[in-house]
Amino acid sequence: KNEVEQSPQNLTAQEGEFITINCSYSVGISALHWLQQHPGGGIVSLFMLSSGKKKHGRLIATINIQEKHSSLHITASHPRDSAVYICAVRIHNTGRRALTFGSGTRLQVQP
Amino acid sequence: NAGVTQTPKFRVLKTGQSMTLLCAQDMNHEYMYWYRQDPGMGLRLIHYSVGEGTTAKGEVPDGYNVSRLKKQNFLLGLESAAPSQTSVYFCATLRGKGTDTQYFGPGTRLTVL
């Protein structure tokens, strides 16, 4: 079983819809990251969370440490939100500080 | 300020050939990482470095070697390429103090025939 699981794997939405992507993990973590990968490959960091909730524009990320679960929400989705969204965690007490990644959620927002 | 750059962007090799991928950063970050991304799988750590002159193995190091002779550069070498090494390779950096945000290069798409 992967240490980081995302759902759904693929998601198609209509423009304007509210979108939720889920991430569950099975290890102790220091932080959880949400990343975005556009067609063409570049990966950018959206959020880093260790507790609670963060908001940036139309994006909201939440984490429940006790339940080992995080969600990424997109409000009023737009075709430019089409991308792969990746959940990644930094496992607690690893000196290398590398990330362990989920397999990603491919989102397509149709006009 | 270019951030993290990778050279080359694309490469096609024949089985048994060798090559070196270069990752360069101008942010003075201590930590550098090489990941590979394969369809249906999350990025996986190949090798990493916590500072100039240091390297260590990640989860999938077999068939790869690395060097970090200068702080700004992290090289990934394939001595004898195999079709199983067909992948997209990403370099990432981390400042190393008080932050977890990793900065990714644009990726190198490698095909081994």
Side-chain angles (χ1 to χ4, degrees):
Chain A
K1 189 178 188 297
N2 293 335
E3 292 169 316
V4 182
E5 298 276 1
Q6 287 185 237
S7 64
Q9 287 187 318
N10 295 283
L11 181 57
T12 300
Q14 295 297 314
E15 184 173 355
E17 286 185 358
F18 181 85
I19 290 164
T20 296
I21 299 170
N22 295 300
C23 176
S24 297
Y25 53 92
S26 57
V27 293
I29 68 170
S30 298
L32 182 142
H33 297 249
W34 283 102
L35 307 159
Q36 182 188 55
Q37 184 175 24
H38 274 286
I43 299 172
V44 296
S45 179
L46 297 174
F47 294 103
M48 184 185 71
L49 296 159
S50 54
S51 65
K53 176 179 175 178
K54 287 189 176 180
K55 184 175 189 288
H56 181 70
R58 295 180 294 105
L59 300 178
I60 304 166
T62 65
I63 188 168
N64 185 318
I65 297 293
Q66 286 73 30
E67 295 185 2
K68 295 186 175 178
H69 181 269
S70 177
S71 293
L72 177 67
H73 305 286
I74 305 176
T75 62
S77 60
H78 189 276
R80 65 175 174 265
D81 297 325
S82 298
V84 175
Y85 292 85
I86 301 170
C87 174
V89 300
R90 181 156 90 80
I91 296 174
H92 195 54
N93 284 339
T94 60
R96 66 189 191 187
R97 303 183 68 177
L99 297 177
T100 300
F101 295 81
S103 58
T105 295
R106 185 174 299 275
L107 171 66
Q108 185 167 4
V109 181
Q110 296 179 338
Chain B
N1 190 341
V4 184
T5 60
Q6 290 183 232
T7 309
K9 290 187 170 52
F10 303 93
R11 185 73 186 267
V12 179
L13 290 178
K14 294 181 180 178
T15 297
Q17 288 184 318
S18 63
M19 77 164 295
T20 300
L21 284 69
L22 169 65
C23 176
Q25 54 109 350
D26 61 3
M27 297 178 287
N28 202 35
H29 285 180
E30 292 293 335
Y31 290 63
M32 297 186 75
Y33 306 90
W34 277 108
Y35 296 99
R36 60 178 287 174
Q37 185 179 40
D38 300 297
M41 304 181 70
L43 281 80
R44 293 180 291 167
L45 181 66
I46 305 171
H47 284 279
Y48 66 100
S49 168
V50 300
E52 180 179 313
T54 75
T55 63
K57 294 180 180 180
E59 299 159 10
V60 289
D62 294 343
Y64 304 96
N65 56 74
V66 287
S67 65
R68 186 136 178 235
L69 300 178
K70 293 183 179 181
K71 186 176 184 178
Q72 62 267 36
N73 295 338
F74 195 28
L75 281 69
L76 178 70
L78 286 74
E79 289 187 350
S80 179
S84 60
Q85 294 177 303
T86 294
S87 189
V88 181
Y89 293 85
F90 286 95
C91 174
T93 71
L94 175 69
R95 185 163 56 121
K97 291 182 181 179
T99 177
D100 263 359
T101 299
Q102 291 197 8
Y103 295 83
F104 289 83
T108 295
R109 185 174 294 275
L110 175 65
T111 301
V112 183
L113 302 175

